[in-house]
Amino acid sequence: MGLKPTPYGTAIPFEEKELKFVGKNPTERPDAIEKVTGRARYAADYSLPGQLFGKVLRSPHAHANILSIDTSAAEALPGVKAVVTMDDFPDLEVEIAAAGELMVNFRDVTRNVMAREKVLYDGHPLAAVAATSNAIAKRALKLIKVEYEVLPHVIDVVEAMQPDAPILHEDQFTKGVDPKPEKPSNIATRIESKLGNSEEGFKKADVIIERHFNTKAAHQGYIEPHACVANYTEGGYAEVWTSTQGHFVFRSQIAKILKMDLAKITVTPAELGGGFGGKNTVYLEPLAIVLSKKSRHPVKMVMTRDEVFRATGPTSGTNTKVKIGATKDGKITGAQAELNYQSGAFAGSSLSMAAVTVFTRYDIENILVIGHDVTCNRPKVAAYRAPGAPMIAFGVESVIDELAEKLEIDPIEFRLTNAAKEGTQTHFGPKLGPIGFVETLEAAKASEHMKMPLGPNQGRGIATGFWFTIGNETSSTLNIAEDGTASFVYGTVDVAGGSRAVFTQIVAEELGIPLESIRVVQSNTTSLGFNFTTAGSRGTAAGSMAAVKASRDAVARMCDIAAKIWDVDIDEVAWEDGHARPAGANVGDFDPLSVADLAKKAAYYGGTIAGHAELNVVGGGPGFGTHIIDVEVDKGTGAVKVLRYSVIQDAGKAVFPDYVKAQFHGGAVQGIGMALNEEYIYDENGIMENPGFLDYRMPVASDVPNIDTIIVEVPNPNHPYGVRGIGEVPIIPPLAAIANAIHDATGIRLQDHPMSPPKVLKAMSEL
Amino acid sequence: MRYEAPTSVEAATELLAGGKPEARVLAGGTDILVQMHMDAIAPELLVDIKNISEMRQIESLDDGYRFGAAVTGVELMDHANFCRTWPGVMDGVKLIGSLQVRGRATVAGNVCNASPAADSVPALIAAGAIATIAGPNGRRDIPVEDIGTGPGKTSLENGEILVSFFLAKARPSSGGAYQRFTPRTEMDIAIVGVGIDLTLGDDGVCTHARVALGAVAEKALLVEEAAATLIGTKVDEQALDNLAAAASAACRPIDDKRGTKEYRIEVAGVLARRVAAIALSRAKSAREK
Amino acid sequence: MSKHHITTTINGDEVDFLCETSQTLLDVLRDELHLTGTKEGCATGDCGACSVSLDGVLVCSCLVLGVETGGKKIETIEGMADGDELHPLQRKFVEHVALQCGICTPGLLVAARSLLAKNPDPTEEEVRFGLAGNLCRCTGYQNIVNAVLDAAAEMRGA
């Protein structure tokens, strides 16, 4: 989650009030018209005069020593203006930093951007070329001669953990083990956290169920490939237009990798064509800058889809164990989980995040969670929407379902009996504040969906999910123009297209001016202070906190101007409905002053009106959701058809309700895709076999039904409008919900993801 | 890379025969453009056949239908009479790629790309489609099942080109169908494909049948043993059980990223039953007309 | 190697361009003509983000060579609105929150227009199958389907 908890953070408390804009669907969405007309500019749409085209040479091996790289023939090809390899990048020491929900180590980041001693996965970059056309750049790549010494490789997480497995990093000794191991290991880190005594808890149980689960790596699947345009100026400045969820974090990473001063780098986030956590880390940007520096031309780089699959993302493949015990009357007495998570070529998976979500939907006194972060010859994993949580929820919610069945208790009732609520002690430290989990379960129980009859070969499944809302650095500026219109400059990248509408609503609500009077603008890295990446469901929650702060700052300034105009004390001015009004003994003495009135006079009374927020936001409200799914299983082929789906989730406060529902739809469908078909497939040489949309099999429109939604609103006390993050929770329950529904339809319990037709058919035949 | 768009079959075969070995026929382009993008092929000459009028025709003849090698999937889908006459063939054509892909893709390309999983191929084989091939030594007609010989390989000789397909007038009381199994409902590659055509006698007994399987061997298979399970029966449960067993027995699949051997074998039988049932109902409704 | 000189009509305007044989229509639109509304998601015909209409037929522009388009009529997202007047599909996409990140939106709109030209009164299932060539990762498709159905109703005058 990036930062250490700080006592200096900002949380603006929730205030119940009548709302004019927040909670109502705006008719205007600032980003929408540009998007439907094709005029929105994504990174690959940018071009600079004189620009070259950059391409990357990638490893064809899963694991190999690099013996030599000869670029001379490529450099000699007419049209080639620059070639770079590891020699063009400084080596970096170990240094850990936050990059979204996952942490990065700069020693590894630079090696992932450009391989140094070894290539560690199929697709690992080794060299890059800038040429006057894409075709020439591609021809040049073929002229680069690389000598490899191919090494044994390891793809599977369990195999990678074995003592005799091929080792990726000879200098990696398992952390979290005492004493420090003497032999290097692919297990980068072991973590353990506990509450009470789980073994004692199991002694009180009447039924104990223990199951093992496996999940395959899945990609974020954004439709926009990574792309950037970079320009290194004669003055030694770097300008980059790129596809990013966090331009300030990209700037930090570029500065480290290229050993540049931060102030010499300007990163402009282009319209983002989907990220879902996968665009929190640099891939192309440092290469493009160095190619630009070497060639003295701007350089544009766009990945192919094949490169996106082979070298970016995905989420961890996992191997997990879940053991839960409960009494006859349905009270969980103890729970254990072991999480073995692939991190890919370099340490640092979503393990630590996943580990704290394992049982954090239930009030359990005795918990033990053990986890391993495991390197293997795959692309370095990136965050993917609630990173790590869907995979362990698959295990936990499957076992919960099996327990409920064994105990002959309705699965929703079983969860209600054990549901976490305000005051529940988590196994990772804090007690939960006010949350809406019980409310989602109650709403699910009462939903129309639960009343729908099921036909033959059909089944219903329930599962739940929990995710954090992070805060972190958030800066914004509200500028009131001379005519009283406002521009709000924000720095939390609008990753899904909803932020601009939401910020407009919040500023309108705070200032009391119409939506049409507000323009919302995404900053580059020079026009605002640092903003952390849009990750951890923070976009609306933290971004709107900064909008509130900046608005209130501007309102205070406007009240001050009014006080000066009226020559009264500032306490005698109130802000109401877009106007400064006399509020003390002076009520009735003066006409209210509108924003436009005040803006016109601002210069004389001290200067332009603006409001600022430079916050470290804290107090994010965790989100909980319950999903219901109906499936039909084809007994002949094992195909699973999703018939009906409901998402019930606590949004705290839905600022833009239709958009909240749209996030529920999208998250659920990503989860359905992951559950049924999506997976990374490798051949025996460790080469990815399905690096394209055809064989990666993301859901198409005809694969999924309508998704019903119920928004529950239990306000977050630490947000002025009660907002909770909502983007990530919806992808957590689907795997388990589908597994539970398949069980209800067929009697089989699947523990291997994806739950593809061959597996379903085989399991049915073994019943 | 050279691009030529000849206007006659002869000119096309001349370019292909006289050209370099890297010459490729460009019909819809939906396979070769992908192969070029992935650097799987690097042809030196593309021979675009879309300007050859003979290859653009869909002709209703006295003895059947003939359609050219450059006719797209969408053009067939928009041809109401062809669709009515050959629903089984169209079952296959409608599954090639997406609507966008079918806007360019041709049946001839689907056949000559020689993927064992091509959706139109089992449907064409079941329908008894004949392909006309032109080459330096003139023209010849061969059944579609004799074109593909293995993944990406055909029996066409250097300089030869597929000109058109001929579908002989359907027998009365006959019906055809094709289905495939894919994990996604659309935009997917068959794990198993089954095409069946059958003809009923006046007494409802099957007098003629052809069964073709896709994606279960190195090429699409015409399975006579499977057809034999239907002929002489009323396509009842027993016959369908026998058909399923024969279809499964004919499979010689591989394990690959898209499916396992055992899964393909089992599902071939399951699908064969379902496809036979559709073909049967189409044959019955043909008889009623 | 000399380039091909091609003359086409794009969104009603006669347009000339030069291209190499290997350049796809998508490459030409984006790199040569700077019509960047048409997006590249995969370049292999599997995502539909580059959908355009070619002589009235919906195609992936990544699966057409520039050199094949001489004398043809091409319609892209840039030609969909009539001046200030959005096409009903564009308007309904906005109203129904049928787009999030928006990268698939141009392709979906072009595909949806083609769908409604052939079938002005589609069922929900027909819309879902009709748009199956267009991947969207954000929306889960539901709002897109609703927007298309609503636009269809409006365009029929229903």
Side-chain angles (χ1 to χ4, degrees), chain B residues 1-3 26-31 33-34 36-38 46 48 50 74 78 98-104 184-187, chain C residues 1 4 21-22 42-46 48 51 54 57-60 62-65 67-68 111 118 129-130 132-135:
Chain B
M1 184 167 52
R2 220 172 105 204
Y3 169 84
L26 173 64
T30 56
D31 285 312
L33 262 61
V34 173
M36 280 157 52
H37 175 78
M38 301 303 289
L46 290 180
D48 185 347
K50 290 188 288 295
V74 163
D78 286 347
S98 61
L99 204 51
Q100 283 90 331
V101 169
R102 294 191 288 280
R104 296 297 284 176
R184 290 196 290 185
T185 49
E186 284 276 303
M187 287 303 293
Chain C
M1 185 172 49
H4 304 274
T21 306
S22 61
C42 67
T44 51
D46 301 318
S51 297
L54 184 68
V57 178
L58 181 69
V59 299
C60 287
C62 71
L63 294 182
V64 178
L65 293 174
V67 70
E68 294 179 274
K118 277 199 175 173
F129 277 87
N134 294 77
L135 284 177

Side-chain angles (χ1 to χ4, degrees), chain A residues 174-181 190:
Chain A
T174 308
K175 278 187 216 145
V177 179
D178 196 30
K180 184 187 166 185
R190 179 188 186 278

